[in-house]
Amino acid sequence: MLLIVGSVVVVLSVIGGFLLSHGNLLTLWQPYEILIIGGAAFGAFLTANPGKVVKAAGRGMRDLLRGERYARQDYVDLLSLMYDVLVKMRKEGMMSLEEHVDNPRQSALFNAYPRLAGDTPLIEFITDCLRLMVGGNMNPHELEHLLDVELETHEHEAQLPAHALAKLADSLPGFGIVAAVLGIVTTMASIGGDTAEIGRHVAGALVGTFLGILLSYGFVGPISAAIEHRAQEDGKAYACVKIALLSALRGYNPQVSIEFARKTLSSKARPSFQDLEAHLKGQR
């Protein structure tokens, strides 16, 4: 929602200010300038990035329109799921989790939380961690190092679309200058002709510079930053799982381990201690 509101504010501010200064709105309609800037920028974006990053950038912009990936209730479910896992591990031993880890789609433990069960990357991260604990006989320090490496890789991949769009935003003013230079070339070819026609060519050239800067700082740059913020926020769920499992491996009881995990969440999405406690008691 904020993405749409912010974009509308940018458009209204720029166009409104132009109209209030007695500008002619039709002067800004320069389809050939748009073609030069948009086409060249898109082509450069395809050249600079592998296919998976291009697709991820498209998904990232789509996801911004859908709102937050994990709401407060999702984190309550995640903490509850980790609590169930840790309780089962403590009461029945590590090997009791083997069937759930090998086939999470058929696991009653995971399917008790349908929304999380449909989040394949997160479930795979949880089961991979548990598989290491079940079959690896690892101490907390070894597991922590492995999880840190995996989370760094996950964060790097999640940030790639944002970095790619940021570079695209940096290039847009340059493509605006390209469009402006081509407009000046056309203008120079019209020297000696009708003065009004020369004025239109000069206006079109200047609009090219204007569009490149506006697209860069008003739209693509902010979208890049929004995708980066979202990726950082989504990574909190993985950090939450990591802390819960490491705390349990260090010998803390499930309730304390879940409290450590809860502390990793941002204040906006973090359920309160009382709410989580009441939720867990309700389940029991």
Side-chain angles (χ1 to χ4, degrees):
M1 179 59 70
L2 287 179
L3 175 67
I4 297 175
V5 172
S7 299
V8 170
V9 170
V10 170
V11 172
L12 291 180
S13 299
V14 173
I15 300 301
F18 180 69
L19 291 176
L20 290 174
S21 63
H22 308 292
N24 183 357
L25 192 60
L26 289 177
T27 307
L28 299 180
W29 175 243
Q30 301 291 337
Y32 299 117
E33 302 287 320
I34 296 173
L35 175 61
I36 293 171
I37 298 170
F42 182 67
F45 184 73
L46 294 178
T47 303
N49 300 286
K52 67 176 184 179
V53 175
V54 174
K55 293 178 181 177
R59 288 194 300 270
M61 289 186 285
R62 178 200 64 191
D63 291 342
L64 288 178
L65 297 174
R66 294 181 174 180
E68 296 177 345
R69 182 175 183 179
Y70 300 113
R72 182 184 292 262
Q73 185 56 46
D74 295 315
Y75 286 118
V76 170
D77 288 346
L78 178 60
L79 292 170
S80 301
L81 170 61
M82 297 312 301
Y83 180 80
D84 294 343
V85 168
L86 299 183
V87 167
K88 188 174 184 65
M89 182 192 307
R90 192 176 184 89
K91 289 183 177 180
E92 304 176 25
M94 289 281 194
M95 297 308 296
S96 65
L97 296 173
E98 187 172 13
E99 60 177 312
H100 300 281
V101 169
D102 290 339
N103 193 6
R105 293 183 179 274
Q106 304 298 325
S107 167
L109 196 62
F110 292 106
N111 287 327
Y113 305 93
R115 182 175 170 86
L116 292 180
D119 190 344
T120 302
L122 181 60
I123 294 299
E124 285 181 352
F125 177 74
I126 296 173
T127 54
D128 286 347
C129 295
L130 292 174
R131 191 174 289 110
L132 289 172
M133 296 172 66
V134 171
N137 193 25
M138 306 181 73
N139 64 51
H141 297 294
E142 292 174 330
L143 181 61
E144 182 174 16
H145 176 68
L146 287 175
L147 295 186
D148 284 341
V149 171
E150 183 169 359
L151 287 179
E152 286 177 7
T153 302
H154 178 271
E155 181 180 0
H156 173 72
E157 291 180 348
Q159 298 286 358
L160 284 177
H163 294 163
L165 288 173
K167 291 180 179 178
L168 175 62
D170 292 339
S171 71
L172 281 169
F175 287 120
I177 294 173
V178 170
V181 169
L182 293 177
I184 294 298
V185 171
T186 304
T187 302
M188 297 304 293
S190 303
I191 292 294
D194 182 56
T195 305
E197 184 68 20
I198 294 174
R200 283 194 292 271
H201 287 312
V202 173
L206 293 176
V207 167
T209 304
F210 157 73
L211 287 176
I213 296 173
L214 177 63
L215 289 174
S216 173
Y217 296 106
F219 296 96
V220 180
I223 288 174
S224 168
I227 292 177
E228 183 176 7
H229 291 318
R230 183 187 173 106
Q232 292 173 349
E233 189 62 31
D234 291 348
K236 296 292 185 182
Y238 295 82
C240 178
V241 172
K242 166 195 163 184
I243 295 300
L245 294 178
L246 286 175
S247 299
L249 202 58
R250 289 189 173 105
Y252 292 100
N253 65 54
Q255 193 164 0
V256 174
S257 299
I258 293 304
E259 179 59 18
F260 287 163
R262 188 183 71 87
K263 293 292 188 182
T264 65
L265 301 176
S266 62
S267 58
K268 178 182 177 182
R270 181 195 305 159
S272 67
F273 175 82
Q274 291 79 8
D275 290 343
L276 182 60
E277 179 71 10
H279 183 77
L280 294 177
K281 285 182 177 179
Q283 284 186 314
R284 290 196 294 268

